[in-house]
Amino acid sequence: MTEYKVKFEVFEGPLDLLLYLIKKDEVDIYDVNLTQLATQFIEYIELMRMLDLEIAGEFLVMASTLMYIKSRELLPVEQQVTVEGEDEGEDPRWELIRQLVEYKKFKDAAAQLQALEARQDSVYPRLPVKPTFGQEAPKDRGSVSIFDLLNAVNAVLKRVSHREDLRDIFEDKWSVSDKIEELRRLLVERGTLRFSEIFARAESRSEIVVTFLALLELIRLRHLVCSQPEQFGDIEIARAPMPPSAAEAEPAANNNHLGAAQQPAKEEDTSIKTLST
Amino acid sequence: MELKFILESILFSAQQPLSPKELRDLLATAAEHDEEGTAKPFKKTSPDAIATALEELAREHNDAARSYRLVCVAGSWQFASEPEYAPWIKALVGHRNRPTRLSQPALETLAIIAYRQPLTRTEIEQVRGVAVDGVMQTLLERGLVEQTGRAEIPGRPMQYGTTSAFLEYFGLKGLEDLPAADELRRIPVQKPESLLTVDPGLATAPPEQLQMQEQPAPEPPKDQPESQPSA
């Protein structure tokens, strides 16, 4: 056995090869001499075999069909055997020609699609960006201080304060690092979050506090920024434009107006106390 | 104010292609928010009227022979540049993420599906004469074809059809926009009355050609000097 096997890909299949042979002879598909075509086809298969190309099964099926057609033509009509139980059916020659004509049409259609594809490569749709008139100015006014954040979280805490049952003690279900992960994931998914959104599903005071600490921690690490697009509006949280790795390298350069957020995440318990008083 | 120019202004500023239905909704919204009353008359414009206006507008842009046209792709309208201006736009917008061109087998298979849909894998293979599994996988992955249902024949095989991504990829308005669509639909190829070369029992090829070759020719078959078809 030879080591090298070349996949015979010049022809898409037996029909493709037949069309090639017909085209080479410059005859109409309907006028084609099938016996001659059969000879040429089999010569090609022999050639493929000699070049040690893998011959797909379809080629062999076609070869046998052609041989059948050829053999039929060798016998006078009256001597031809009709296989019992098998209907005379379509003339196998017509069947093959019909198949060839049909395949040829789709091959031509494919060429037209190819032309369209190439054309479409050069067509550029007009896609204007959404007009952003004067969006820049309010962004500056909307920067949020730590007191804005505290006020906001206070409002949220008030919302749940009456709901909490103070007689029972629950284990802490949430940790700051979990919440950091959740916030990060949400920001990746959604791009921006509103302050009220991140507390919307909070079940208890402690969860709100832990979420708030996670938010502060992410601000301290400069992973995200807060802004207030309109006065008294909801605070918006977005991912920081700066790569966070650069910010982590210099944690000393903390944002001055967010200085209070420097509580390390480990001191969870004390900070909760501070904030819940 | 003319409807077509209103539509033109919307499409000029639109960030995505818009269908006549979407445009109708826009006209209705504009009429609701309009205080001066200029948008009111267009509140209840039908999608058909919008489509007609768009066709007219597209014709006008066509006749103006400018560098861009109003085009309809997959039923939605947008402005697009003419292909011959691609070199300059390419320089402006840089590399564009167009998927790689389709291979010959993929294009053939896609053509068969596009014209004959819905149809089963077996039906595609009958036309192409070869298995289409690998090619179908590619077409499905690229979202150009999709499963549309099952044929009500034994085994209930999957049927396939093209998607709107197909229309977008080739810049087609709809399936009726396919080149030579009517000819390639399900109409079977007509059997010619008397074109077949020979009748059974009448060998047309000369005897020497009908002989079996013991030794196959080592080179590809050259043009056979033997007889041309008799017809």
Side-chain angles (χ1 to χ4, degrees):
Chain A
M1 286 297 280
T2 344
E3 288 289 310
Y4 303 102
K5 289 244 177 199
V6 186
K7 210 171 163 244
F8 198 72
E9 279 186 312
V10 184
F11 295 106
E12 280 312 322
L15 290 173
D16 205 22
L17 174 54
L18 282 178
L19 279 185
Y20 165 76
L21 293 172
I22 293 168
K23 205 177 147 203
K24 215 177 60 168
D25 281 351
E26 291 178 358
V27 286
D28 192 272
I29 295 180
Y30 289 108
D31 292 344
V32 82
N33 182 332
L34 284 176
T35 44
Q36 191 183 328
L37 199 63
T39 318
Q40 291 179 354
F41 188 87
I42 286 158
E43 273 175 17
Y44 241 98
I45 291 202
E46 289 294 350
L47 176 79
M48 284 159 79
R49 189 177 288 162
M50 267 199 331
L51 295 171
D52 205 23
L53 299 163
E54 271 185 60
I55 301 167
E58 294 96 0
F59 281 92
L60 298 179
V61 173
M62 182 57 73
S64 64
T65 308
L66 286 166
M67 288 315 289
Y68 171 60
I69 291 171
K70 198 167 154 179
S71 68
R72 264 172 63 110
E73 301 206 346
L74 291 174
L75 280 176
V77 186
E78 56 272 19
Q79 286 184 32
Q80 282 186 17
V81 189
T82 334
V83 184
E84 239 179 276
E86 199 177 282
D87 209 355
E88 182 75 348
E90 280 264 40
D91 187 334
R93 294 169 309 163
W94 162 242
E95 182 55 30
L96 182 62
I97 286 173
R98 190 197 58 76
Q99 221 183 339
L100 277 171
V101 171
E102 196 176 32
Y103 178 67
K104 174 80 168 55
K105 284 191 172 163
F106 282 110
K107 213 172 147 64
D108 294 346
Q112 279 178 302
L113 282 184
Q114 195 166 32
L116 280 178
E117 180 188 38
R119 185 194 140 89
Q120 216 47 32
D121 271 351
S122 303
V123 169
Y124 288 77
R126 177 182 152 80
L127 293 172
V129 289
K130 204 176 176 80
T132 49
F133 305 114
Q135 285 275 331
E136 300 310 312
K139 226 171 198 175
D140 281 333
R141 278 193 284 123
S143 70
V144 180
S145 77
I146 183 68
F147 300 107
D148 292 327
L149 284 176
L150 276 174
N151 275 337
V153 83
N154 223 357
V156 179
L157 281 171
K158 268 183 197 145
R159 182 166 60 82
V160 291
S161 58
H162 62 280
R163 278 197 235 150
E164 199 139 11
D165 191 348
L166 292 170
R167 283 167 299 180
D168 293 320
I169 298 169
F170 301 99
E171 59 168 327
D172 284 342
K173 284 188 235 164
W174 311 275
S175 74
V176 175
S177 49
D178 286 349
K179 283 288 172 191
I180 286 179
E181 282 312 305
E182 192 184 322
L183 281 179
R184 277 201 176 139
R185 190 176 48 77
L186 280 171
L187 280 168
V188 168
E189 272 173 24
R190 312 255 298 272
T192 61
L193 291 169
R194 276 179 297 138
F195 190 85
S196 56
E197 268 182 312
I198 65 173
F199 295 104
R201 277 178 296 120
E203 289 165 18
S204 71
R205 267 179 97 79
S206 55
E207 186 176 4
I208 291 171
V209 171
V210 169
T211 308
F212 186 58
L213 285 176
L215 179 68
L216 291 180
E217 182 65 14
L218 283 168
I219 294 171
R220 187 183 73 83
L221 292 171
R222 299 194 182 185
H223 283 242
L224 50 83
V225 288
C226 290
S227 65
Q228 198 169 18
E230 49 193 285
Q231 267 190 316
F232 311 116
D234 211 342
I235 292 167
E236 244 175 42
I237 299 148
R239 277 201 285 174
M242 197 164 91
S245 55
E248 270 170 319
E250 34 176 358
N254 275 319
N255 218 333
N256 48 9
H257 68 271
L258 288 172
Q262 283 180 36
Q263 293 269 20
K266 287 171 227 156
E267 296 171 27
E268 201 177 308
D269 292 348
T270 50
S271 37
I272 290 174
K273 268 176 210 156
T274 335
L275 280 160
S276 35
T277 44
Chain B
M1 218 166 321
E2 268 195 79
L3 175 63
K4 61 179 177 186
F5 294 128
I6 295 169
L7 299 173
E8 186 182 42
S9 73
I10 297 173
L11 289 172
F12 184 74
S13 315
Q15 270 111 53
Q16 67 201 43
L18 295 173
S19 67
K21 279 208 180 88
E22 289 166 319
L23 286 164
R24 176 202 55 192
D25 294 347
L26 271 168
L27 289 175
T29 315
E32 264 168 43
H33 293 91
D34 177 47
E35 274 150 28
E36 287 159 38
T38 40
K40 287 262 179 338
F42 301 99
K43 192 178 174 183
K44 289 207 169 111
T45 317
S46 73
D48 278 348
I50 290 171
T52 316
L54 287 169
E55 299 282 358
E56 194 188 328
L57 196 60
R59 251 195 319 277
E60 281 174 22
H61 277 281
N62 228 26
D63 295 344
R66 302 199 68 90
S67 62
Y68 60 92
R69 297 280 187 274
L70 180 61
V71 292
C72 178
V73 170
S76 291
W77 294 76
Q78 70 184 145
F79 282 103
S81 70
E82 284 285 280
E84 53 268 37
Y85 301 97
W88 296 278
I89 303 172
K90 211 181 278 169
L92 173 75
V93 301
H95 176 73
R96 181 160 63 144
N97 269 345
R98 272 277 283 184
T100 46
R101 299 255 178 111
L102 290 165
S103 66
Q104 196 60 40
L107 281 167
E108 277 177 30
T109 311
L110 197 54
I112 297 165
I113 299 171
Y115 287 100
R116 293 274 164 99
Q117 60 188 308
L119 80 172
T120 63
R121 232 171 244 243
T122 319
E123 288 171 304
I124 303 168
E125 284 170 356
Q126 270 166 9
V127 177
R128 283 201 68 217
V130 277
V132 293
D133 294 329
V135 178
M136 281 301 285
Q137 196 55 41
T138 314
L139 294 175
L140 285 164
E141 269 167 25
R142 287 184 62 161
L144 297 170
V145 301
E146 63 185 355
Q147 293 170 348
T148 53
R150 290 180 180 277
E152 291 306 327
I153 52 172
R156 306 214 330 123
M158 270 298 175
Q159 285 182 314
Y160 298 89
T162 52
T163 61
S164 63
F166 162 79
L167 296 174
E168 281 161 30
Y169 185 68
F170 290 99
L172 295 164
K173 190 173 176 179
L175 286 174
E176 67 286 345
D177 204 24
L178 281 165
D182 38 337
E183 197 199 336
L184 280 164
R185 290 278 155 74
R186 235 166 239 289
I187 309 156
V189 177
Q190 286 304 305
K191 183 174 182 171
E193 283 310 309
S194 58
L195 271 171
L196 284 182
T197 4
V198 284
D199 286 326
L202 260 173
T204 43
E208 66 266 27
Q209 205 194 322
L210 292 172
Q211 275 162 11
M212 283 295 284
Q213 280 174 293
E214 290 301 320
Q215 290 292 315
E219 69 277 317
K222 297 193 183 103
D223 281 345
Q224 303 259 332
E226 284 93 337
S227 69
Q228 282 290 306
S230 53

